[in-house]
Amino acid sequence: MPLGHLGINVTDLAAARAYYDEMMPLVGYEPFLLDDSQFAYRPARGKVGAYLFFYPAEQPGYSRAKPGLQHLAFMMRTRADVDAVHTWADSRGDEIVHPPREFPEYPPPYFATFWIGYDGVLLEAVCHKDA
């Protein structure tokens, strides 16, 4: 069975929502839920996939080096889509960990970009196609 949803705590719900409202359409997600205590996205156009819920953190201090969430990877339809997400993250001034490229250490084809997003979460856009 596919994963149903992930819950992610953020330091500032409004600021996180502003960030993800820009990013999520680029990675194939649409708004799902919004109220004073949370917001969420689902795969766009009825596609199957995990929903993402965001909640206010009780304490700051995310680290991908500690137990818990290491990174989020979003499957992209084309390499051009990976490039577009990279351009968006770069234009915002997000820290680019890896610009778009092949990753031969993973089963091919693996074309991806990695960047540091809101609250320091490592994000990835990946395409498993040759075009």
Side-chain angles (χ1 to χ4, degrees), residues 30-46:
E30 63 189 17
F32 173 64
L33 174 70
L34 171 63
D35 64 36
D36 291 340
S37 65
Q38 65 186 327
F39 63 95
Y41 304 92
R42 66 181 174 197
R45 297 174 299 282

Side-chain angles (χ1 to χ4, degrees), residues 22-125:
E22 286 184 30
M23 188 195 96
M24 295 304 274
L26 298 172
V27 297
Y29 276 71
E30 63 189 17
F32 173 64
L33 174 70
L34 171 63
D35 64 36
D36 291 340
S37 65
Q38 65 186 327
F39 63 95
Y41 304 92
R42 66 181 174 197
R45 297 174 299 282
K47 293 184 180 173
V48 174
Y51 289 39
L52 295 178
F53 285 77
F54 294 84
Y55 308 101
E58 293 180 19
Q59 300 175 10
Y62 167 78
S63 171
R64 69 179 186 266
K66 293 180 181 178
L69 180 69
Q70 201 275 339
H71 79 282
L72 292 174
F74 296 91
M75 302 282 288
M76 308 304 293
R77 291 181 55 203
T78 67
R79 290 173 179 226
D81 292 337
V82 171
D83 290 334
V85 174
H86 166 77
T87 298
W88 173 82
D90 193 41
S91 73
R92 292 184 45 81
D94 289 349
E95 178 185 343
I96 304 300
V97 177
H98 297 291
R101 67 174 176 89
E102 291 278 347
F103 284 82
E105 59 268 38
Y106 304 129
Y110 202 105
F111 184 81
T113 186
F114 293 79
W115 72 100
I116 304 298
Y118 185 80
D119 269 347
V121 174
L122 181 64
L123 300 168
E124 174 186 1

